[in-house]
Amino acid sequence: MERKLITKTDLLIIAAVVVLIVISFVVKNFSGENLVAEIYFDGKVIESVNLSQKEEKEIVTGSNGETVIKAKDGKIFFTSSCCPDKVCVKSGKLEKNGDFASCLPEKVVVKVRGEKNDNIDAIVY
Amino acid sequence: MQKKKSGIAVAVVLAAVILIVVIYDFSAKKKIFEDTDFAMGAVISQKIEASGGEKIAEEIVEKIKDVENNISWRIESSEIAELNKNKKATLSDETVKYLKELLDVCEKSNGQVDLTVGNLVNAWNIGSENFRVPEENELETILESVDYKKVKIENNLVSVGANQSIDLGFAGKGIACDEAKEILQKHKAEKGIISVGGSLCLYGEGVFNVGIRNPLGDVNDYMAVLNIEESFVSTSGNYERFSEKDGKKYHHILSTETGYPTDNNLLSVTIVCQSGLLSDALSTACYCVGYENSLPLLEIYNAEAVFIFDDNTVKITDGLKEKIEIKNDGFELWKEN
């Protein structure tokens, strides 16, 4: 029998470990991301909602205490606010890492955060 | 003997793979302090990579509030409010510096942006609950008061014309970005991404990926990505702030020629340059003067720009040619510019 530097068994072990590492890396970065929505009032986090676990919650906050934010089916959105322009409600549903909506008159911000790196650093608007 | 060698080879390969993965993961997760706050009627978002990031973020917000307290005409005790009221006031070095830099932009844009636009802004109140559409003759009278040439600066003594009032709303967020950079520098931060209501201060080494808001989409939708180095970025767009009446939309970028919201074929203009104040002021100026007239203006200030037109075409200046990726098929980059 010929002696090799690396045997078949060794190759199998290497392949198995590499495959495992790659799989765990892919799983961690590309799926099952742990998405958390943070609700800020006047610059402070007042509530966090786990969107990945489809946590359902209704949060009432704001300077006038009349701004309503709802989390449902892994999405979070402003349902109503006493502000004049309703920009917050028009912002739509937030569901991915980096999504952001605010109600300026009521000093409320909702941000979605995930574990993986954002594709972009910031949005200019 | 050979058996042993193969064992070592396996171990070395595995160790290398694990090391690479660990290093990659570690480098992707540097300690970054993030903060969200309010100032200048806008959301301030900060990502700071530095020791004592939290303190730096606090200092930046405090500084921005100070600037607002000096230059916002809406704040009764501000320097600009005093100037608007008494038509003459002794102002701080800082405010005089901002005024001088902005007067220069007013001059170079032939008054298409004008810091004496206060009465006009006040007549419309676009984006607020006091919004109304002014009468045509009212606008004519107001436009007579809009003329930056009547602003006189002698040392720290500043005076404006009898009916004039100053509004620095077209540059306030950019000024805030300049101040943020100074604080990041002072504390030797490694990296900082500061957003003042969408105007950005990008500080530190490396490349920043900046999404340009899709003017037709919602707040989290970007249509292109700029891969740029340390700089300031600002956008002016007709989607930013507007009011509606009788089914008609009125956006907040007012023309100093007609008194009405600027009506041209632009959806937004994004400026990249080395000054926050200029990035903000030039985005408004370029929006107002249109693409062709913007080019000489951009050259004067060594600034780059992205223009998005209402037929969904995009024009960019030469300096950004290699640095932009269109991410939305609905938009098309002009090839021959």
Side-chain angles (χ1 to χ4, degrees), chain B residues 64-327:
Chain B
I64 294 174
K65 285 179 179 167
D66 279 352
V67 172
E68 183 183 13
N69 287 333
N70 283 342
I71 68 169
S72 170
W73 58 265
R74 290 182 177 83
I75 296 172
E76 236 174 274
S77 58
S78 81
E79 295 183 31
I80 297 298
E82 190 196 337
L83 176 61
N84 284 349
K85 195 176 157 206
N86 301 330
K87 310 299 169 197
K88 203 178 213 184
T90 305
L91 308 183
S92 65
D93 292 347
E94 233 173 31
T95 305
V96 170
K97 189 186 83 185
Y98 304 147
L99 287 177
K100 280 183 178 165
E101 284 181 46
L102 290 172
L103 279 171
D104 190 59
V105 179
C106 296
E107 192 191 318
K108 304 274 163 50
S109 74
N110 293 319
Q112 298 247 28
V113 280
D114 196 313
L115 50 78
T116 59
V117 81
N119 295 340
L120 187 60
V121 171
N122 237 336
W124 284 89
N125 274 309
I126 288 169
S128 94
E129 47 203 313
N130 301 321
F131 164 73
R132 67 188 183 92
V133 180
E135 299 291 328
E136 189 107 34
N137 54 5
E138 186 189 348
L139 286 176
E140 270 170 37
T141 317
I142 288 171
L143 283 179
E144 285 168 20
S145 77
V146 179
D147 182 4
Y148 68 93
K149 288 176 196 140
K150 289 184 186 153
V151 179
K152 300 282 179 242
I153 302 179
E154 230 174 286
N155 298 319
N156 286 47
L157 184 68
V158 181
S159 63
V160 297
N163 298 312
Q164 287 192 309
S165 62
I166 284 182
D167 181 341
L168 303 184
F170 70 110
K173 290 170 187 165
I175 290 171
C177 286
D178 282 329
E179 298 296 344
K181 181 180 175 181
E182 223 162 88
I183 292 168
L184 289 168
Q185 248 167 348
K186 189 177 87 186
H187 292 284
K188 299 190 172 65
E190 276 173 58
K191 214 168 181 178
I193 300 168
I194 317 295
S195 166
V196 182
S199 288
L200 304 178
C201 160
L202 308 172
Y203 174 80
E205 281 177 18
V207 173
F208 298 85
N209 304 314
V210 175
I212 298 177
R213 161 94 184 256
N214 176 358
L216 307 170
D218 70 28
V219 284
N220 294 299
D221 189 7
Y222 52 91
M223 46 65 68
V225 175
L226 288 172
N227 309 114
I228 48 179
E229 295 178 341
E230 183 172 283
S231 51
F232 294 91
V233 196
S234 276
T235 298
S236 279
N238 61 7
Y239 56 84
E240 260 179 287
R241 204 164 70 229
F242 55 84
S243 290
E244 287 182 70
K245 199 195 170 207
D246 304 329
K248 196 170 159 33
K249 265 191 185 178
Y250 296 89
H251 69 80
H252 76 296
I253 309 170
L254 297 168
S255 161
T256 53
E257 268 174 16
T258 66
Y260 286 90
T262 304
D263 186 16
N264 57 23
N265 56 352
L266 282 166
L267 295 179
S268 79
V269 180
T270 298
I271 304 288
V272 181
C273 67
Q274 293 307 317
S275 149
L277 175 144
L278 283 177
S279 72
D280 200 1
L282 284 176
S283 69
T284 307
C286 290
Y287 189 94
C288 290
V289 304
Y291 175 73
E292 294 293 334
N293 292 327
S294 290
L295 300 179
L297 201 54
L298 292 165
E299 203 153 301
I300 292 171
Y301 292 108
N302 204 7
E304 304 292 340
V306 178
F307 298 82
I308 307 176
F309 297 91
D310 58 8
D311 62 356
N312 294 0
T313 54
V314 180
K315 285 188 185 177
I316 53 170
T317 50
D318 288 343
L320 293 176
K321 260 188 181 167
E322 310 292 324
K323 299 178 179 171
I324 190 169
E325 297 167 65
I326 303 286
K327 294 287 185 187

Side-chain angles (χ1 to χ4, degrees), chain A residues 5 10 17 21 25 28 40 43 91 94 99-100 102 104 107-109 111 113 117-125, chain B residues 6 10 14 17 21 24-25 28 34 36 38 41-42 45 47 193 197-198 208-211 213 219-220 222 235:
Chain A
L5 186 61
D10 292 337
V17 172
I21 289 172
F25 188 75
K28 182 172 168 288
Y40 292 76
S91 297
L94 313 182
D99 277 359
F100 165 95
S102 65
L104 279 176
K107 299 198 164 190
V108 181
V109 173
K111 263 186 185 174
R113 281 179 202 283
N117 288 342
D118 299 354
N119 298 323
I120 51 164
D121 293 311
I123 296 185
V124 60
Y125 57 91
Chain B
S6 89
V10 173
L14 289 182
V17 170
V21 170
Y24 180 87
D25 215 47
E34 296 197 28
T36 302
F38 291 91
S45 281
K47 286 185 203 169
I193 300 168
F208 298 85
N209 304 314
V210 175
R213 161 94 184 256
V219 284
N220 294 299
Y222 52 91
T235 298

Side-chain angles (χ1 to χ4, degrees), chain B residues 24-66:
Chain B
Y24 180 87
D25 215 47
F26 183 76
S27 68
K29 259 195 222 144
K30 273 192 187 157
K31 233 192 156 193
I32 296 172
F33 179 77
E34 296 197 28
D35 180 61
T36 302
D37 220 311
F38 291 91
M40 291 193 169
V43 176
I44 317 282
S45 281
Q46 308 191 64
K47 286 185 203 169
I48 297 175
E49 208 178 296
S51 54
E54 189 172 354
K55 275 253 164 67
I56 299 174
E58 251 171 54
E59 193 178 329
I60 288 174
V61 171
E62 283 313 307
K63 181 66 199 179
I64 294 174
K65 285 179 179 167
D66 279 352

Side-chain angles (χ1 to χ4, degrees), chain A residues 43-92:
Chain A
K44 302 266 179 317
V45 177
I46 53 156
E47 190 94 48
S48 300
V49 184
N50 191 315
L51 296 183
S52 306
Q53 291 169 13
K54 305 226 184 327
E55 195 180 339
E56 277 196 31
K57 212 176 231 179
E58 197 172 84
I59 299 114
V60 183
T61 180
S63 305
N64 286 303
E66 290 173 25
T67 302
V68 184
I69 296 152
K70 203 170 173 182
K72 210 186 167 205
D73 300 330
K75 294 171 186 166
I76 189 158
F77 47 96
F78 283 87
T79 54
S80 66
S81 183
C82 47
C83 56
D85 49 14
K86 311 287 180 220
V87 167
C88 51
V89 179
K90 289 177 199 156
S91 297

